[in-house]
Amino acid sequence: MSNSLTFVHRIEGWLDLLSKLCLIICAVALATLVATFGWLVWGRYVMNVTPTWVEQLGLLLVGYIAFLGAAVGIHEQFHLSVTLFRDAFGPKMTGIWRFIIDIILASFGGVMFVAGLELFAFGWETMLPMLNIPESFRTLAFVICGALIAIFAGFRAVFRVIYWKNGETYPDPVHHEEA
Amino acid sequence: MGLAILLGMFAGAVVIGVPVAFAMGIAAASAFWYEGFPLLITFQRTMSGISVFALLAIPFFVFAGEIMLHGGIAIRLVRFAGALVGHIRGGLATVNILSSMLFGGISGSAIADISALGSILIPVMKEKGYHADYAVNVTVTSSIAGIVIPPSHNMIIYAVAAGGGISVSKLFLAGVVPGVMMCLCLAVAAYWIAVRRNYPAEPFPGWVSVAKTGAIAIPGLITAVIIVGGVLSGIFTVTESGAFGAIYAVILTSVFYRTLGWKEFTIALTSAVRTTAMVMILIGFAGAFAYLLALYQVPDKLSELLLGISSKTWMILLMINLMLLVLGMIMDMAALILICTPIFLPIAKDLGMDPIQFGIMMLVNLGLGLCTPPVGTCLFAGCAVGRIRIEDAVKSIFPFYLAIFVALILVTYVPAVSMTLPALLGE
């Protein structure tokens, strides 16, 4: 194996770890979401006290699940795509299309990151009701999502080029789509 | 020009294979930029699209479905359905359809249905002499029941895409009769093929066995009762009932059935995260996309176009159905609900159609799209589980398509099919 491919595998390992970390954060957020809503129902009907902060916390957590999960989706390539046309012209063209898609996604991730930073700064003075933390904490998920998309898609585009130079095709993961 | 940029960028990005959610985001950002709006608006719309309280139900429904899938509910439902209808000619197909109706009604996910039931029933059907294509086709087409029979997270997506003015409990009620009717149509198609191919019937195990298997399966079915009943009775909001249903499912499968260990729990959790993220990011970017569609008056323009072709209500509804069918062949359900609802719903309303009926029509229609090539997520999943090629499966799938199409036509042209139950129960 060439040095460049060894380098790719090492970086890929770090990216996998980053993606897994995001997935764990999302899983903890989802488990917390379920538990807090269980607490909401329990509080309302058994203890006769409705914990009003649950709904706002829920909206905050679902933002993290959505945006960090979406970034994981870019890494694992599980987002819904129309692959019919992309795959219609043979493996070589498919590889080129995939490279272009990665560049587009990395650029869009960059735009999300920059715009997200502006939103982050904009929301610092506004407090989330019931939680009393800055609105920016909600935007933070979006900023991280943009950065991660740029990183995941950008590195993959670079890896594709390195694989091509070594006469190999980048091994894309199998899709797992949901309906 | 702005509209051309919006639609052109979206179509171009989708065609080359950019994920649909991001294609919507890119197209919306480009159109906003062209119109001279600050780019921030795209992302503000995306964020506010996700920050809707009703949407919190989606992760709960998805998680409850995953717990059902990994927690051993499916096998108990299959045993119950087997005892109840296995003695009919081609009985395992009827068992498959009934199981889909029961399991799909709980999980609300067509893919979960195929993964859970297909992996149990397709090998058994093949072993008993049923052809693989038949086993796969029955599994794939009956999985749509999960989308139409409540609870279904796609109904929440529709309610949100429709602008939030639609009652989810009404949608839940409206989906019951069309879902059951669709399964009956599929059962007729399956029976007809079973007789032609001389498939066997299972021996009737007796009513004691039916009662026993039913008693074991009922706790699983209660999940759906909690979710739907909680919403209809007004005790819970949709979100709370989803959370309560998920908690009940975890307790049932881990404490009582003892089939949900830590490993299955984490698989269910991470799988639910993936699905939730995929759906929520679609909803987020669709918020920005739909805002622009409204800004460019796309529904009005399309309405004018359709009325220019014909002024007859039945013809316009047929055209809408055909358009949805074609789109459903190449794109997935959640994305199409989010894109097409703001476009077609105003037209349907102008024609006097109730938004609830339109929603059910759209779900049945797009559900059919999940079973059709070239892009049919359920068909692909079914073929993977059944280990047959897609070309082999579609050769004999047409009677099943016809069955769903009959159900679709009835839902479209007979309002009573979907609207009777909401009217009867006073919702």
Side-chain angles (χ1 to χ4, degrees), chain A residues 23 26-27 30-31 33-34 37-38 40-41 44-45 55 58-59 62-63 65-67 69-70 74 76 78-82 84-86 97 100-101 104-105 108 111-112 115 118-119 122 138-139 142 149 176-179, chain B residues 14-20 22 25-26 39-40 43-44 47 50-53 56 59-60 63 66 109-111 235-236 239-240 243-244 247 269-270 272-278 280-282 285 330-332 370 374 377:
Chain A
L23 197 60
C26 292
L30 180 56
L33 200 63
V34 175
F37 268 82
L40 175 79
V41 174
R44 180 186 299 162
Y45 290 105
E55 292 184 4
L59 290 174
V62 91
I65 297 169
F67 289 119
I74 293 295
E76 296 184 2
F78 64 63
H79 285 291
L80 298 170
S81 310
V82 177
L84 172 72
F85 308 104
R86 186 192 70 193
W97 283 127
I100 294 169
I101 291 165
I104 292 171
L105 286 173
F108 188 63
V111 173
M112 280 173 72
E118 268 189 71
L119 280 175
F122 189 69
R138 188 175 285 166
T139 323
F142 187 83
I149 288 173
H176 21 141
E177 294 172 330
E178 182 70 45
Chain B
V14 165
V15 164
I16 65 167
V18 173
V20 178
F22 292 92
I26 291 165
L39 202 58
L40 284 184
F43 303 119
Q44 266 175 336
M47 301 270 305
I50 287 173
S51 303
V52 176
F53 184 65
L56 288 176
F60 297 141
F63 181 52
E66 290 294 339
S109 162
I111 287 285
I235 296 173
F236 300 139
T239 311
E240 289 165 358
F244 204 65
I247 291 170
L269 203 57
T270 50
V273 162
R274 287 189 177 94
T275 308
T276 302
M278 198 164 67
M280 296 300 274
I281 200 75
L282 260 171
F285 285 125
I330 53 171
M331 210 186 277
D332 223 272
L370 292 174
T377 312

Side-chain angles (χ1 to χ4, degrees), chain B residues 232-402:
Chain B
L232 296 182
S233 63
I235 296 173
F236 300 139
T237 62
V238 182
T239 311
E240 289 165 358
S241 68
F244 204 65
I247 291 170
Y248 171 80
V250 171
I251 293 171
L252 174 71
T253 50
S254 59
V255 178
F256 292 101
Y257 286 167
R258 293 181 178 278
T259 39
L260 186 83
W262 177 249
K263 188 183 164 200
E264 290 81 13
F265 178 76
T266 51
I267 291 172
L269 203 57
T270 50
S271 191
V273 162
R274 287 189 177 94
T275 308
T276 302
M278 198 164 67
V279 172
M280 296 300 274
I281 200 75
L282 260 171
I283 292 171
F285 285 125
F289 193 80
Y291 176 81
L292 283 159
L293 287 179
L295 193 76
Y296 293 128
Q297 298 175 316
V298 173
D300 297 342
K301 285 173 185 166
L302 192 67
S303 180
E304 273 174 33
L305 182 78
L306 290 178
L307 284 168
I309 297 170
S310 171
S311 58
K312 293 187 177 79
T313 302
W314 70 268
M315 176 59 97
I316 295 174
L317 288 177
L318 184 70
M319 284 192 284
I320 292 176
N321 265 315
L322 289 175
M323 278 188 260
L324 287 173
L325 274 174
V326 171
L327 289 169
M329 285 180 182
I330 53 171
M331 210 186 277
D332 223 272
M333 188 165 202
L336 281 175
I337 293 174
L338 291 161
I339 295 166
C340 295
T341 301
I343 298 174
F344 291 128
L345 180 60
I347 300 171
K349 275 184 185 170
D350 284 348
L351 296 171
M353 195 178 205
D354 193 287
I356 300 286
Q357 187 195 353
F358 179 77
I360 302 299
M361 181 194 93
M362 188 182 233
L363 291 180
V364 175
N365 189 313
L366 298 180
L368 182 56
L370 292 174
C371 309
T372 51
V375 181
T377 312
C378 287
L379 182 64
F380 295 170
C383 288
V385 173
R387 294 171 195 279
I388 62 167
R389 293 184 310 162
I390 291 162
E391 306 89 278
D392 295 332
V394 292
K395 272 179 198 162
S396 56
I397 204 169
F398 286 98
F400 297 101
Y401 284 162
L402 187 66

